[in-house]
Amino acid sequence: MSATLTSTADAPSANRYRRSQRILHWLMAIVIISALLIGLYCSYLVQGTPLRRALLDIHKSLGMTALILIAIRLPLRLSLGEPAYRRPLDVFSHYAARGAHILLYVLMIMMPLAGYTTSAAGGHDLPWFGVFQWPNLLPPDKSLERTAAIVHEYGAYCLYAVVTLHILAALWHHFARKDEVLQRML
Ligand code: HEM
Ligand code: HEM
């Protein structure tokens, strides 16, 4: 484990995620929810219009940012683990949370990769907020583009559902059960 991870600023406070994990969680929550909402809006716009192109550029930039952040977050999670609960959750909540978190991690990896593949195999732009272009590592391939677009679209439906349940569960724990769950991430 590196010196940064064990520094006082990032020390495990008994029942909360480490500071680095909390910052990454909230940063990614903002990035992913914005990407989801912009993607959803774009799906109602006519292809090729200047507004759709501009919004898709922002969407792709957010999505690629999520890909970089998850590449940092996942190893951190695997090495640091999660904090203990003061009072263990009941069995149902424990397995529901575990399942939802694993699914969120899978989707956080799958969505940017499928988005990248759609754009790269289609020979489209891969911008990052107008600052630079990501390298296109794929040869033009229409059928790969179509397959990746389908994975991206159905992945988005799953993400809408799981993120909504995740947020409702966090609010339910905090306001109805009045337990420690939300505090662990604040
Ligand atoms: C966390 C990351 C991402 C999320 C949550 C996300 C979500 C979405 C959603 C909800 C849509 C609208 C539904 C659809 O038409 O598929 C969409 C469309 C799209 N996304 Fe993403 N996306 C992400 C990353 C990316 C990345 C990294 C790229 C490319 C570099 C990308 C490129 C596209 C493109 C080109 C479309 C339009 C597809 C079409 O109209 O056929 N996305 N995305
Ligand atoms: C308003 C939005 C959100 C709230 C209130 C929220 C709240 C929380 C809370 C309280 C936890 C800790 C749960 C526990 O310790 O059992 C957590 C964990 C987690 N959240 Fe969120 N979250 C939000 C958005 C998101 C989004 C958009 C994503 C990803 C798409 C996400 C992914 C995760 C993951 C993967 C974990 C598990 C962390 C780990 O064990 O490494 N969250 N969230």
Side-chain angles (χ1 to χ4, degrees):
M1 203 180 286
S2 78
T4 349
L5 299 184
T6 50
S7 70
T8 326
D10 203 26
S13 83
N15 306 101
R16 275 163 99 198
Y17 282 88
R18 306 236 190 171
R19 196 163 75 155
S20 54
Q21 289 176 298
R22 283 180 273 136
I23 291 172
L24 278 166
H25 172 271
W26 292 113
L27 197 58
M28 287 198 74
I30 293 167
V31 167
I32 290 174
I33 291 172
S34 309
L36 266 177
L37 294 178
I38 295 174
L40 178 66
Y41 185 61
C42 283
S43 63
Y44 291 105
L45 296 176
V46 178
Q47 291 212 351
T49 56
L51 176 63
R52 187 174 193 270
R53 272 195 211 159
L55 286 176
L56 266 186
D57 280 359
I58 298 173
H59 174 81
K60 292 177 189 181
S61 307
L62 289 166
M64 292 305 287
T65 306
L67 183 60
I68 300 302
L69 292 176
I70 195 64
I72 301 169
R73 182 173 173 185
L74 197 60
L76 212 56
R77 172 65 170 87
L78 294 173
S79 60
L80 297 177
E82 64 175 317
Y85 285 90
R86 269 186 229 110
R87 292 182 53 209
L89 294 178
D90 60 89
V91 177
F92 172 78
S93 299
H94 172 80
Y95 285 108
R98 183 50 55 93
H101 293 166
I102 292 173
L103 201 52
L104 285 168
Y105 275 115
V106 169
L107 290 165
M108 283 191 284
I109 298 166
M110 195 185 95
M111 285 303 288
L113 287 180
Y116 175 89
T117 308
T118 307
S119 294
H124 303 295
D125 280 353
L126 291 163
W128 195 75
F129 299 110
V131 180
F132 63 85
Q133 288 280 327
W134 296 93
N136 184 337
L137 304 172
L138 300 173
D141 184 336
K142 281 287 156 200
S143 101
L144 178 61
E145 180 191 2
R146 267 196 302 276
T147 309
I150 292 170
V151 171
H152 199 63
E153 187 182 342
Y154 284 92
Y157 299 147
C158 286
L159 200 53
Y160 294 135
V162 188
V163 165
T164 304
L165 286 177
H166 177 69
I167 295 173
L168 290 177
L171 296 176
W172 176 71
H173 276 285
H174 191 67
F175 292 108
R177 306 248 334 227
K178 301 189 191 320
D179 62 20
E180 63 186 292
V181 167
L182 185 59
Q183 289 299 326
R184 286 155 58 81
M185 202 44 101
L186 294 179

